[in-house]
Every structure is written in C-alpha cells, then in structure tokens.
C-alpha cells in the first residue's frame, strides 16, 4: 500500500516537473519514468538474493542524474543524485554485513526514493522561483 501511494505521489511530482521544467528537468523526468517502467523487468535478473538487474539500473540512473546535475544549475538535481547514490550503495549492504536481511537494502532504497520524490516537488518550486527571479531581473533592467 505504501509503495502504491509513493508511486502515485512520485508520478504527480514528475508530471508537475515535466509541465513546469526546462530541458534538464524533462530529461530527468524521462529517466525516472523509464526507470520505473524497466525495474519490474530487471527484477528477475538475480544472483541468489542479489538483484543485479535492478542494481545496474540504479547505477545507470545515478550516473544520468549526476550528469544532469553537473550541467544544470538546479539544486534539486544535486540532491536527487545524492539520494540516488544512497540507493546504489544500499546494494553493497550484503557484502558489508553478510548477516543482514534482504529487507534492509529494500528499506534503504524505499527511504531514498521517498527523498527523491520530495526532490521532484522541490524541483518544481525551484523552477518556479527561478522564473520569478528572472522576470524580476528583467523588469529591473538587469540581465
């Protein structure tokens, strides 16, 4: 139930970002939506209990969001990249602490996704604030 609610809230945040954002926001939205679509397919690629297919997707998403954060002036992308890095590192939990349960990594990734979802809404606010600041500077004759 919590996962379904989080999915709905995430999709709402992504839709708002796609409607309000610029080029980098739209690329990020496409990446996150593609990730959401492909994860169920990649979940079947496993080595024992280690979901290597999902781990590879997490790394790819991290690299893309980090790349966007490096090229954009948006802080929400930087935060999202950091939280995505937490999701990537959560796959190393079984190697660091072999006695831990699989649910430990799942809980860490769920928590990271909650924080990433918050970043979507912060991104919408950042885009809108950036537009207001741009309009004010143009009205004051500052470019």
């Amino acid at each position: 139930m919590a996962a379904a609610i989080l999915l709905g809230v995430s999709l709402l945040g992504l839709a708002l970002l796609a409607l309000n954002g610029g080029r980098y926001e739209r690329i990020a939205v496409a990446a996150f939506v593609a990730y959401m679509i492909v994860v169920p397919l990649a979940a079947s690629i496993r080595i024992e209990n280690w979901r290597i297919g999902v781990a590879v997707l997490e790394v790819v998403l991290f690299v893309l969001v980090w790349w966007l954060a490096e090229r954009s002036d948006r802080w929400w992308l930087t935060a999202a990249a950091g939280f995505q890095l937490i999701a990537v590192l959560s796959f190393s939990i079984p190697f660091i602490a072999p006695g831990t349960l699989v649910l430990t990594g799942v809980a860490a990734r769920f928590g990271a996704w909650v924080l990433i979802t918050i970043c979507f809404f912060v991104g919408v606010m950042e885009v809108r604030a950036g537009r207001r600041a741009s309009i004010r500077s143009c009205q004051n004759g500052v470019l």
Side-chain angles (χ1 to χ4, degrees):
M1 181 69 170
I5 292 170
L6 182 59
L7 177 64
V9 173
S10 295
L11 290 173
L12 174 64
L14 287 168
L16 290 172
L17 258 178
L19 291 172
N20 293 294
R23 180 176 70 179
Y24 292 113
E25 282 81 16
R26 289 190 180 111
I27 293 170
V29 166
F32 281 108
V33 169
Y35 167 82
M36 288 182 198
I37 292 169
V38 176
V39 159
L41 303 172
S44 63
I45 304 170
R46 296 174 178 243
I47 297 176
E48 294 182 17
N49 281 337
W50 196 56
R51 299 184 327 168
I52 192 163
V54 177
V56 169
L57 282 177
E58 296 280 1
V59 170
V60 169
L61 183 62
F62 165 70
V63 169
L64 182 60
V65 175
W66 181 29
W67 181 83
L68 290 170
E70 289 290 326
R71 279 145 187 80
S72 173
D73 61 347
R74 300 292 186 208
W75 284 97
W76 80 268
L77 281 168
T78 305
F83 297 135
Q84 183 59 30
L85 180 59
I86 292 170
V88 168
L89 293 175
S90 72
F91 281 94
S92 66
I93 291 173
F95 301 112
I96 296 170
T100 58
L101 298 174
V102 173
L103 290 178
T104 305
V106 172
R109 286 186 291 282
F110 187 83
W113 191 259
V114 168
L115 295 171
I116 290 169
T117 299
I118 292 169
C119 286
F120 298 153
F121 292 97
V122 171
V124 172
M125 293 188 312
E126 185 179 10
V127 167
R128 290 181 177 174
R131 285 196 183 126
R132 281 192 297 262
S134 177
I135 290 169
R136 284 190 200 123
S137 65
C138 287
Q139 289 173 345
N140 294 333
V142 178
L143 294 176

